[in-house]
Amino acid sequence: MITEQQYRRLMREHAMGGSVSRSAMMAGMDRKTARRYLKAGCGPDGLRTPHTWRTRADPLAAIWPEAQRWLEHTPELEAKALFEHLLATRAGEIDSRALRTFQRRVTEWRERHGPPKEVFFPQVREPGERMQIDWTHANELRVTIAGVAFEHLLFHAVLPFSNWEFACPCVSESLLSLKSGLQAAAWTLGGVAPFTQSDHSSTATHQLRRGQAERGFNREYLALCAHLGTEPRTINKACPHENGDVESAHGHLKRRLLAHLTLRGSSDFADLASYAAFVAEVCRGANALRMSKVIEELPRLRPLPATRFPESELMSLRVSSHATVRIKHCAYSVPARLIGTWVQAHVREDQIAIHHGGIEVARYPRSATQQPRIDYRHVVHSLVRKPGAFAGYRYREELFPRPVFRHAYDALRAVEEHRADARYVQLLLLAAEAGEQSVAEAVAALLRAGDWPDPAVVEKQIRAHEPAAPQQMVAFTPELGGYDELLSAEAGA
């Protein structure tokens, strides 16, 4: 059998006046073969006889009727799973080596008799028309912040026409992350899409009436969109494919981030800002490859507003007797002097700032897992007076600001367990007054030397390393009479 290319060469040489022998030689075939193709006037496909006969017995003859009944009733069955079932129930009637033959037979049956497959309808994407937004879990990236596992999501925005994208880490799928993420995307892009499309997340929508499926936009989300100059839109319920551009981009983004983390050699970051900058840089690199289409979108975007919509939520809270306030179901400590007073919490997606009388009294990174945030400096003075409260304190684990403090407590318990709590709170008091870093270094030195961290010894070491106080200089008082004598001598001369 010759190839289609040989046949075309044969016909071309013969049409140019070449003899059968010369044409056959130029096409690389036998003269008799060339004569046969010239006489037939068709190529190798036309002369090929369809193979309709069997060369061996059908290995599936015994089980195929039953397999076909299974496929007619449950066409979604996988061929391999069905084959394994028949192999177990019809032992001896089928050869286990016939799996590939069975899979090909099932494929042929589905092409002829199977149910219709889902059709995907390509959509016309208008440049600069809309931005799709969504959130995706990113724990598989295994990112750590200062060595601590960071459970988080990524806010993700995509322009369907060019696939331009923006992403930033966030602790929850909340209105706060929507405010900061959507505005960060708009300011990075340099404009606002006329339409912003989301799914039916409770972040953007709510149920209009109890027991009914109809949903409407949240008032705060409408205010955000009005400020930006974009019209909010949602997809149809239970139709995530309508937000398909951003949905499909989730996987590509996380694979790209994983690759860049591998190139970086570490998935640990000093703080959340460093990680956010890393994600933004990865997106910038991907968007650089899409600039030819992004340029078409930019002129059709709406201009940015003069200012950003407020990205924080203001809450007025009363400080409890525990010297804590509860924000989003999580406890945050404040100075004990504020017990019973009202404070204002400025809640952002990434951090919480607590003010009293217009002065900031505490600032914390936002807790992603409702883990309490307790600053030992706020409660240590009370603990020194009541050291027995330390053992059963609800937030005791938050009073180990560094691993070395935990090691110090374990060492104190090993020496004299019943006095360990009192001695440890003395170490905390020393850290609050002399500096946490100094105490941590002194404790670490004692532990490395095999000694136990007695607070008195730690304080002595800290004082020994403190710089000497500068000597006080005696103020110079000039003797004015000497100047008079000098002037009189010059006058006599």
Side-chain angles (χ1 to χ4, degrees), residues 376 380-381 384 424-435 439:
Y376 66 92
V380 66
H381 292 89
V384 168
Y424 179 72
V425 297
Q426 286 292 336
L427 282 179
L428 286 181
L429 179 63
L430 191 58
E433 295 176 346
V439 173

Side-chain angles (χ1 to χ4, degrees), residues 395-417:
Y395 307 126
R396 191 185 72 166
E397 294 303 315
E398 300 302 312
L399 299 185
F400 299 108
R402 303 189 186 192
V404 70
F405 282 83
R406 179 74 207 203
H407 299 327
Y409 179 65
D410 294 338
L412 290 170
R413 291 193 54 167
V415 173
E416 197 172 4
E417 185 173 356

Side-chain angles (χ1 to χ4, degrees), residues 479-493:
E479 178 58 45
L480 299 180
Y483 289 98
D484 294 336
E485 294 177 0
L486 179 62
L487 292 174
S488 299
E490 289 182 355

Side-chain angles (χ1 to χ4, degrees), residues 61-74:
I63 56 93
W64 181 247
E66 182 179 350
Q68 191 169 351
R69 288 193 295 272
W70 276 104
L71 291 172
E72 289 172 351
H73 289 90
T74 53

Side-chain angles (χ1 to χ4, degrees), residues 57-364:
D58 183 4
L60 306 176
I63 56 93
W64 181 247
E66 182 179 350
Q68 191 169 351
R69 288 193 295 272
W70 276 104
L71 291 172
E72 289 172 351
H73 289 90
T74 53
E76 71 279 2
L77 275 176
E78 291 186 0
K80 185 177 180 181
L82 179 56
F83 181 80
E84 291 173 348
H85 170 75
L86 295 173
L87 192 64
T89 57
R90 305 284 292 272
E93 299 183 44
I94 181 174
D95 190 341
S96 60
R97 295 172 297 179
L99 173 60
R100 296 291 179 268
T101 303
F102 185 80
Q103 288 174 324
R104 287 193 296 271
R105 185 77 59 84
V106 169
T107 300
E108 293 173 0
W109 181 90
R110 284 178 172 151
E111 291 173 352
R112 296 178 183 178
H113 311 290
K117 297 180 180 180
E118 183 179 3
V119 179
F120 292 89
F121 300 94
Q123 301 293 298
V124 177
R125 308 296 190 194
E126 293 294 335
E129 179 189 28
R130 71 185 60 217
M131 175 181 285
Q132 294 183 4
I133 60 173
D134 196 19
W135 288 261
T136 180
H137 288 276
N139 292 338
E140 62 263 40
L141 300 180
R142 298 183 179 178
V143 170
T144 57
I145 304 295
V148 180
F150 180 44
E151 296 185 5
H152 67 292
L153 292 82
L154 291 171
F155 172 85
H156 200 186
V158 171
L159 296 179
F161 178 77
S162 63
N163 284 329
W164 178 93
E165 65 181 335
F166 172 84
C168 61
C170 54
V171 298
S172 62
E173 185 175 340
S174 63
L175 187 59
L176 290 172
S177 66
L178 175 58
K179 289 178 183 179
S180 58
L182 182 57
Q183 293 191 104
W187 259 259
T188 301
L189 181 60
V192 181
F195 302 102
T196 299
Q197 182 170 298
S198 65
D199 57 18
H200 283 279
S201 163
S202 59
T203 303
T205 65
H206 64 278
Q207 193 177 38
L208 293 178
R209 292 184 180 179
R210 187 184 300 273
Q212 294 186 1
E214 187 179 1
R215 299 181 69 87
F217 290 110
N218 295 334
R219 182 181 304 173
E220 191 75 3
Y221 179 52
L222 288 174
L224 170 65
C225 291
H227 179 83
L228 294 175
T230 182
E231 181 181 331
R233 289 189 175 181
T234 60
I235 61 176
N236 289 311
K237 194 173 182 181
C239 296
H241 60 274
E242 295 181 4
N243 225 19
D245 292 274
V246 67
E247 292 278 357
S248 64
H250 289 336
H252 298 301
L253 171 65
K254 287 186 279 191
R255 283 191 291 271
R256 191 176 296 114
L257 288 171
L258 276 173
H260 281 270
L261 286 171
T262 302
L263 292 174
R264 184 175 179 266
S266 172
S267 58
D268 184 61
F269 295 85
D271 49 38
L272 181 55
S274 302
Y275 176 47
F278 168 80
V279 175
E281 184 61 32
V282 171
C283 290
R284 273 194 295 271
N287 292 333
L289 305 176
R290 305 162 177 153
M291 286 308 297
S292 58
K293 283 194 170 184
V294 174
I295 290 174
E296 296 183 47
E297 301 212 71
L298 293 178
R300 305 193 182 191
L301 299 176
R302 294 175 178 174
L304 294 169
T307 59
R308 290 199 183 198
F309 191 81
E311 296 179 2
S312 62
E313 180 181 348
L314 183 61
M315 303 174 65
S316 292
L317 305 159
R318 192 179 185 90
V319 181
S320 72
S321 59
H322 309 146
T324 60
V325 291
R326 294 195 68 82
I327 303 172
K328 305 291 185 182
H329 309 290
C330 181
Y332 296 84
S333 72
V334 298
R337 67 178 183 275
L338 300 178
I339 290 176
T341 65
W342 287 86
V343 295
Q344 289 73 44
H346 297 262
V347 184
R348 295 176 59 91
E349 174 57 26
D350 57 343
Q351 65 182 6
I352 290 176
I354 303 174
H355 293 76
H356 177 71
I359 301 174
E360 183 177 305
V361 294
R363 179 180 290 268
Y364 298 95

